[in-house]
Amino acid sequence: MAVLSIKNLFIEYQIKSGAVKAVEDVSFDVEENESLGIVGESGCGKSTLGTAILRLLPQNAKITGEILLNGVNLLELDNESMRKIRGKDIAMIFQDPMTSLNPIMRVRDHFFELFKVHNPDIKKNEMIKIASEALESVGVDPKRLNNYPFEFSGGMRQRVMIALAIALKPKVLIADEPTTALDVVVQEQIMQVLKNLMKTKNMSIVLITHDMGIVAEMAERVAVMYAGNLVELGAIHKLYNKPMHPYTRMLLESIPNIKLDDMDLKFIPGSPPDLKNPPRGCKYYPRCPFTKDICKKNDPKTKKVDSRIVKCWIYGE
Amino acid sequence: MVNKMNTETFLKVEHLRKEFDLKVPWIEAIFKHKKKTVKAVDDVSFEIKRGETLGIVGESGSGKTTLGRTVIRLIEPTSGKIIMDNTDLTELRGEVLRRARRDFSIIFQDPMASLNPYMRIGKIVSHPLKIHNIGTKQERKEKILSLFEKFNLTPPGEFYNRFPKYLSGGQRQRVVIARALITNPKFIVADEPTAMLDVSVRSQILKLMIQVKKEFKLTYLFITHDLASAKYICDRIGVMYLGKIIEIAKKEDIFKEPLHPYTKILMSAIPIPDPNVKREKLMPKGEIPSATNIPKGCRFHTRCPFAKDICKEQEPDLRNVNGRLVACHIV
């Protein structure tokens, strides 16, 4: 059975001038011990989706649908029960390690705060023990528990963030652009840490990123999002070797590579639609090279084609 | 990409250093004459030919941004020479330096932070023209509108009156490039111009930079940590580590056969967008040391997977290996 299952999820942000449809009818499963990548351009709703799973969205976000974690619908839980789940059953690491640690708290106090929420009677010795183990598993010296965040480099801070997220051995880890603020060498080190954790801790990872290179190295399945829709989902090899949705194809082609014989800079012309006022029909048609009449009129349904999910009129009614 | 490469040297940087002083407790400063400095740029020399693009790559904290800013005197160098078009920029002062600034400019990394949120786009871009007393108000506006047209900021008249917050990241970066080009400079420092942008927008901005380089006959110093972007735009690439250039060579050489162990590590760390390719990754030990405490000997030996005894003792100079410059004992 899937650990995490998203069913017909809709998310709207209510703003003064109307509603922004950030996520529209998204469904997918995350299996046990699996790494699922979610990719797309800025503003495609991938971070909103990730944040919604932990129910950390702002007040003006309206969520409908189901988010099932081990069969329990998280959207129906009250705040107190949700608090008990966050950090313990499901955890998240954020993009910017500079702003996601409290600058006036020692690293160990970040851990202690987390542990006390889930177990008010926990002893200090035990807390230090768990925290040290977590830090060790991401390659940080446990002696540094007494340091403040500013005493760490960016890469080390991101390691601390990961250690905090996995300290209570969650089943699912949501990583929202975990390496975007870091440079290549540190990024590589952090990816190694995540890969190791996946092997040793029996944990599923939902990796949200715009970097198709990272997904290729980390994920087993990939979900491609465009303007709030899930447009394609499939196994990594199949999707990269033979993308089905025109957007996936363009996205793959527009990645800068390091092959010297390929000097053609490709990009997707145009820009993503305004989600306050999206186009009728398929949201991608204004940028799509294969647009037909039907694309402008009706939104395509999500179809299952050869063990893949794709949302495009090319693949029939 | 470069069809007619001029062989004339445009910019020559010689033994450039930039040290930042750090605060030392006063008691130590007075009685022990202690001084703590960050050697952000440590004896860097290179040349850029007219019409060439030199890329500078390296990790955060390698000093590449400081180098870029020092070259155009946004930061005062501690010592060294910067000879641009036969003029030594380090000798210019006051008004003369100010006048010289119309010949060179910079594109900053973060288009959100480099545009004044309280100024309309038109005013932002016309500012350099006003400072250098170029044209009348009407002429300036016309020049800006035609530049906007070229940069796909259409309709130009509408963009002219907008505030930065109504622009997307890609559009803002186009405005930043327009501002850098408005005085018809000869030289541009591009400090990670695409780092904050989305992949597809990144390619658009790179393409624009390549296009305007031809049109305006520009020479670029292109600073980036993204080797994939460097491939498309640079002719030569210099690799920086802790304030020093440790390898500098033609782009083709760097990509085909990186010589310095650090360059090899940088190359192997780039994620390859192909799940069928599984590579042996070369990883450095630990993290980049602090620039206040640069290791003795080769500054990379603390992290180098191939370090030998000599690396701990002697600092390697940038030397010629088969026509390429590299600073390593092992190569």
Side-chain angles (χ1 to χ4, degrees), chain A residues 22-289:
Chain A
V23 172
E24 252 189 299
D25 199 11
V26 167
S27 306
F28 62 86
D29 287 344
V30 182
E31 305 295 330
E32 217 166 279
N33 211 0
E34 179 194 43
S35 61
L36 174 79
I38 299 182
V39 295
E41 287 170 273
S42 309
C44 71
K46 56 190 193 301
S47 285
T48 295
L49 179 62
T51 318
I53 297 173
L54 270 95
R55 284 201 19 216
L56 290 172
L57 288 176
Q59 292 281 323
N60 67 338
K62 211 179 97 200
I63 315 176
T64 52
E66 283 176 45
I67 301 172
L68 300 170
L69 182 71
N70 291 322
V72 179
N73 188 356
L74 298 184
L75 296 178
E76 284 168 359
L77 294 180
D78 58 62
N79 288 341
E80 200 44 47
S81 330
M82 193 59 217
R83 244 163 88 87
K84 292 272 184 279
I85 283 177
R86 278 187 213 121
K88 198 172 175 196
D89 297 321
I90 189 162
M92 185 158 182
I93 38 182
F94 298 93
Q95 175 169 355
D96 190 353
M98 311 291 158
T99 52
S100 27
L101 292 169
N102 187 336
I104 56 165
M105 268 165 76
R106 287 175 200 274
V107 165
R108 63 155 195 232
D109 294 324
H110 285 87
F111 280 100
F112 292 179
E113 192 183 27
L114 168 78
F115 297 158
K116 280 180 183 154
V117 167
H118 295 288
N119 181 3
D121 307 323
I122 192 165
K123 296 256 165 33
K124 198 176 167 189
N125 289 344
E126 201 180 337
M127 289 199 286
I128 290 178
K129 198 177 140 240
I130 308 175
S132 303
E133 273 168 19
L135 280 183
E136 246 163 37
S137 67
V138 297
V140 178
D141 187 350
K143 280 184 201 135
R144 303 201 64 181
L145 271 175
N146 290 324
N147 287 124
Y148 284 95
F150 73 85
E151 295 172 278
F152 290 80
S153 66
M156 283 311 216
R157 273 182 238 200
Q158 196 58 293
R159 283 173 200 249
V160 171
M161 282 299 297
I162 298 174
L164 271 168
I166 56 130
L168 293 177
K169 303 190 172 61
K171 293 273 159 345
V172 183
L173 177 67
I174 295 170
D176 186 4
E177 307 254 10
T179 59
T180 307
L182 309 169
D183 52 58
V184 266
V185 178
V186 185
Q187 163 172 297
E188 180 57 40
Q189 290 170 333
I190 295 293
M191 290 202 313
Q192 295 293 348
V193 168
L194 287 176
K195 275 185 199 164
N196 261 335
L197 289 173
M198 249 161 35
K199 263 187 227 152
T200 55
K201 304 261 156 158
N202 188 27
M203 178 173 74
S204 311
I205 291 188
V206 178
L207 180 72
I208 299 167
T209 177
H210 67 266
D211 190 329
M212 301 295 277
I214 294 178
V215 171
E217 295 198 358
M218 293 280 301
E220 289 150 35
R221 286 193 306 148
V222 199
V224 182
M225 283 188 74
Y226 183 76
N229 286 321
L230 201 155
V231 294
E232 185 166 356
L233 190 151
I236 181 101
H237 288 271
K238 281 191 176 168
L239 190 130
Y240 273 64
N241 293 343
K242 193 174 159 279
M244 287 174 91
H245 197 282
Y247 178 67
T248 314
R249 195 178 309 168
M250 290 298 272
L251 199 61
L252 284 169
E253 277 177 3
S254 69
I255 312 168
N257 58 44
I258 51 166
K259 289 184 211 131
L260 275 176
D261 47 358
D262 178 12
M263 290 301 289
D264 195 11
L265 261 174
K266 293 196 189 79
F267 56 86
I268 311 171
S271 49
D274 177 8
L275 293 180
K276 252 188 303 184
N277 202 357
R280 253 188 82 197
C282 171
K283 291 213 181 74
Y284 185 57
Y285 92 77
R287 300 172 84 184
C288 182

Side-chain angles (χ1 to χ4, degrees), chain B residues 26-45:
Chain B
W26 64 272
I27 209 155
E28 288 181 16
I30 293 173
F31 295 108
K32 298 183 183 159
H33 300 283
K34 250 195 190 165
K35 222 177 137 189
K36 231 180 172 181
T37 52
V38 177
K39 289 181 180 161
V41 176
D42 193 5
D43 196 5
V44 167
S45 306

Side-chain angles (χ1 to χ4, degrees), chain A residues 42 153 183 257 259 262, chain B residues 60 198 207 231 276 281 287:
Chain A
S42 309
S153 66
D183 52 58
N257 58 44
K259 289 184 211 131
D262 178 12
Chain B
S60 314
D198 237 320
K207 227 173 183 163
K231 182 198 88 175
N276 304 316
K281 297 253 181 178
E287 301 218 320

